[in-house]
Amino acid sequence: MTSLSRELVFLILQFLDEEKFKETVHKLEQESGFFFNMRYFEEIVTNGEWDEVEKYLSGFTKVDDNRYSMKIFFEIRKQKYLEALDKRDRAKAVEILVKDLKVFSAFNEELFKEITQLLTLENFRENEQLSKYGDTKSARGIMLIELKKLIEANPLFREKLQFPTLKNSRLRTLINQSLNWQHQLCKNPKPNPDIKTLFVDHSCGQPNGARAPSPVTNPLMGAVPKAGVFPPLSAHGPFQPAPAPLPTSLAGWMASPSPVPHPSASAGPMGLTAPNNAAMIKRPRTPPTNNPAMDYQTADSEHVLKRSRPFGISDEQPSNLPVNILPAAFTGQSHGQSSYSSDDLPKNVAFTLSQGSAIKSMDFHPVQQILLLVGTNMGDITVWDLGSRESLVHRNFKVWDLGAISMALQASLSSDHNSSVNRVMWSPDGNLLGVAYSKYIVHIYSYHGGDDLRHHLEIEAHVGSVNDLAFSYPNKQLCVVTCGEDRVIKVWDAVTGAKQYTFEGHEAPVYSVCPHHKENIQFIFSTATDGKIKAWLYDNMGSRVDYDAPGHSSTTMAYSADGTRLFSCGTNKEGDSFIVEWNESEGAVKRTYHGLGKRSVAVVQFDTTKNRFLAAGDEFKVKFWDMDNVNLLTTADAEGGLPSSPCVRFNKEGILLAVSTNDNGIKILANADGIKLLRTMEGRSFDASRGSSVSVVKAPAIGTFGAANATVGTSIGDRAAPVAAMVSMNNDNRSLADVKPRIADESVEKSRIWKLTEINEPSQCRSLRLPDSLSGNRVSRLIYTNSGLAILALASNAVHKLWKWQRTDRNITGKATASVVPQLWQPSSGILMTNELTDTNPEDAVPCFALSKNDSYVMSASGGKISLFNMMTFKTMTTFMPPPPAATFLAFHPQDNNIIAIGMEDSSIQIYNVRVDEVKTKLKGHQKRITGLAFSHVLNVLVSSGADSQLCVWSTDGWEKQTNKFLQIPTGRAAAPLADTRVQFHQDQKHLLAVHDTQIAIYEAPKLECLKQWVPREASGPITHATYSCDSQSIYVSFEDGSVGVLTALTLRLRCRINPTSYLPSPPNPSLRAYPLVIAAHPSEPNQFALGLTDGGVVVLEPQESEGKWGTSPPLENGAGPSTNSGAAGSDQPQR
């Protein structure tokens, strides 16, 4: 049907609706398939008119069109079946089962059997999964919500859910215009024509020279708009052409201005969550409201019907963390809250720091977990290194440019030069830090690692006190949000300091700000001292909501680490304190936590961690709550000495907690992981010049932990640990008494005593070969799960193997370790996750896989179709994209888990949308197959690498190529014709590790400037693989000779070599020796990695507990020491 014919149908639909031909309207909707009337669909579903429901749907989709359609029909027929059972109409239920539900048994027989078994129950609510089934009306209402989401996400309904915006009686208007045109063509036009028919063209019978009036002023047909006009666009769901009148609920105001034409498409109704067959029967009593991205994660992806078309993968956590708080995204948080206990909380005092002034605000560095920023009531700020327990940087309050400040501020400073710090905050990448002062001023510093803190911006932000400060990313531009005593919120460009927005509307001083985002909507919560809470979009439309904080308290707000749950904590003028969770969609308190004391002297401060716990400083102690339990979980008095309302702050992983003390100090509380981290970092110093002044020799010695955001190749290099510790680290037999603690020319002494750490014997490290009863095909790909609780391997025969560690007395965290043997895990069904293979030799295929963020699903290929597996059941969820060309590398988009970058055998990169099963675009720039892909969510780029030894940078906004560069192949070395080139971003998302069989190189994206290059000795053979450690401070490199090198990432200097004799038994035949093909780093243990071997084995390696790390870094002045020790022969040194 032509476009105009389609538009004519819409005109007819409008006309029929205006004339009240209701049945005809819906018949035409169904037969034309142009417009799906969601309002009518809701009506017939609510009334239980099931035949009409299916008949109406049939005009738009069939049962087996796609997964969405199949689930739509399944939900309807299941509801019809349950209603028959509820009425005790067994005959009807059997008829529905055989006639309507039987079709689904071909796709999930177990589910069909379970539904059939309901017939045997007196009341189907005896089934545990259906025990909460209410009455028919409520059940239909809950189902209808799910159906609407499925329809909105179904590509077959795309552009059919919105009725075009038409003026009333548009068809009548067109006819009037036509009649006027006909009348004007009359030879004898009458002034008042009498039109009796539309079946033939109009003509006037008597001569008259008068012109017919305009149809606008005097229509020939009585086009009177009726009350029941066809529903305008806004009446048909979320697809609105313009912002609707602002509703009061958060869900409403966040949805109304959305420019996205299909917001439901990003909601992921077919989300990948851990499935079970029962979930298909069970439906939650009330639908989730706090996170649109999670509305339909009902585990339907597997058991509803395996199809060849893939489906949407829900975002397992938000792409951007809330930037005004430091949410502690504890490793493994996606594995379920049940894996945490109060033992995971940092409650043990590790040590105390003396600040000297009363603590007002603290914040941990987002990348370097042991850097703590502190602000005090005297206006000074300090950056503490918790590893060395030293103050790296200290700055007092001082106006940088007295000539630029206002007269009011000058007058304030003339009477009192002091200014208290109200808030300190790191930027999300840790490159900037902000300080809000009690007098007018905000200071933004740039941090370059160590003690290098530089002035960046001085902003006179508010009149009076600047009460709070936070960083946000509106329009992908880093900004600073401030609020103050002048009752105003302001947004500043973090680069230039230019003011972007001013928000006015509070009637009292603004106490705090909380920027956040939901999908593509950026917004700011603000709270005032009168207890009012408002929300703002980055526009000039004023506040979107107006709530009252509990008890009209001065309140701070914070999101959980995954951005889905909103909390607030505050204290009112009477001293009553409140800590609550909010229901955003209703603007109401969802949960009030018990346990805060009465009559607090100061405003109670709080923080969140692990998406599970809350902590608040109250009544001279730290109080903890489980987010899902209103009762107090536990408390910690930190061995006493805390003020009545101490400041509290978690580090990002939630393993350290900083608490202010009564005597102007800071107590660092830690859990077992935190203690281990501090012990590992102990003795590390950012400044080499301070190495000689360390009076206590600490063991074990610690090597490099350079600033993650420092520019690679600058003078901020590896810092030497105390001399005696380094000697003992390298197994030198001299006693510590032989080493002088203070040496006049320390650099000479360092050069003399440093040597490469060689690991040659099994006793020098902890190694564990994982148990394996399967065939010994070489390990082609290897990865730790994001939780750190398991390791997944893909063998060359296309079979996946999964090892899981269990919680035991020897391994209380349940994380992967070389000290405890894991289980080679298989589901009870005994099936294996096996990729499809082609007719070609499996050894010639290029295996690849990518793991979902919640560790529940793996996407994988071994030369054939791409498969999606459920990690719990090992079942194949779907397969897609058959070769040729074959997929050779897979990577999930960091902001949208439904977008996958797929590197192909034919050298192209396909940007594929899983939800709608389509390739959005193809990127072409390589000459050979793709061997590596890496996204940077900071730079918004995708970096690709290929077997052509080339790197390409692509913008993720428009997918255009920004630049490309070929690797610099070292002189005398030849690259293999199809050498794998891998890429991986540093934690800072700016520096790029490139791995080639001839070299390791560090590039700076997006311009791909090569900062450093490291070429191994030829005796080691080619590099087989390499990876950053989880903290990006080390690089683990595997070689064809079986050895593993540990490089300091900042300087690309070799500090430790692990020889195969330390972790591999000697083979009976040297030609049978195994060596590592792939290497994977543990996601939270910086010194643990795993090797995938050519003989099919997987080995986990860790340093001895007494050592704590792999070797010590060579001092910067010395290079890498004598060639005999480093084994470099001139080639193990970094090259430019």
Side-chain angles (χ1 to χ4, degrees), residues 785 790-793 800-804 823-825 871 874:
T785 57
I791 289 178
L792 177 68
H800 298 77
K801 292 181 274 190
L802 179 67
W803 289 270
K804 289 185 178 182
Q823 175 190 6
L824 178 60
W825 196 84
M871 288 272 283
F874 283 14

Side-chain angles (χ1 to χ4, degrees), residues 738-752:
D738 296 331
V739 183
K740 298 179 182 179
R742 303 290 291 243
I743 299 170
D745 187 0
E746 191 179 21
S747 63
V748 174
E749 184 67 12
K750 288 178 183 175
S751 301
R752 184 171 65 82

Side-chain angles (χ1 to χ4, degrees), residues 229-459:
V229 295
F230 205 84
L233 181 62
S234 59
H236 292 280
F239 306 99
Q240 301 173 3
L246 296 172
T248 57
S249 73
L250 284 181
W253 70 256
M254 285 193 292
S256 61
S258 173
V260 180
H262 294 280
S264 63
S266 60
M270 302 289 286
L272 298 188
T273 60
N276 55 66
N277 285 332
M280 280 303 300
I281 302 177
K282 177 174 139 184
R283 195 178 295 118
R285 181 73 175 166
T286 55
T289 58
N290 64 334
N291 182 8
M294 302 295 287
D295 280 349
Y296 281 92
Q297 295 193 352
T298 52
D300 47 30
S301 36
E302 171 201 338
H303 31 284
V304 179
L305 338 159
K306 201 167 4 176
R307 298 273 297 160
S308 60
R309 289 174 63 88
F311 49 94
I313 301 176
S314 69
D315 293 331
E316 291 134 339
Q317 55 189 5
S319 55
N320 294 322
L321 294 176
V323 295
N324 65 304
I325 61 173
L326 185 62
F330 186 75
T331 306
Q333 64 193 27
S334 300
H335 255 265
Q337 297 178 339
S338 61
S339 62
Y340 298 122
S341 70
S342 60
D343 294 336
D344 295 315
L345 291 168
K347 294 183 293 184
N348 301 313
V349 178
F351 54 83
T352 303
L353 303 171
S354 178
Q355 180 67 37
S357 305
I359 312 301
K360 295 284 288 183
S361 179
M362 298 182 290
D363 196 25
F364 276 94
H365 194 281
V367 178
Q368 299 180 46
Q369 297 289 292
I370 58 167
L371 295 188
L372 177 65
L373 172 62
V374 178
T376 76
N377 67 333
M378 299 304 294
D380 51 322
I381 63 167
T382 305
V383 177
W384 288 93
D385 172 12
L386 302 188
S388 63
R389 307 181 192 180
E390 294 183 10
S391 164
L392 297 178
V393 183
H394 185 86
R395 297 285 187 272
N396 296 314
F397 172 72
K398 181 179 180 182
V399 176
W400 298 345
D401 188 354
L402 286 169
I405 64 175
S406 66
M407 294 297 293
L409 177 54
Q410 290 183 34
S412 176
L413 291 173
S414 64
S415 59
D416 183 5
H417 285 286
N418 291 326
S419 179
S420 172
V421 171
N422 283 333
R423 169 73 91 166
V424 292
M425 177 73 68
W426 290 102
S427 65
D429 59 5
N431 290 333
L432 299 176
L433 64 87
V435 189
Y437 291 100
S438 63
K439 288 185 179 176
Y440 295 68
I441 291 289
V442 166
H443 280 164
I444 307 296
Y445 292 89
S446 61
Y447 183 61
H448 302 268
D451 58 0
D452 191 357
L453 187 68
R454 306 174 191 175
H455 293 181
H456 178 59
L457 291 174
E458 181 174 62
I459 303 172

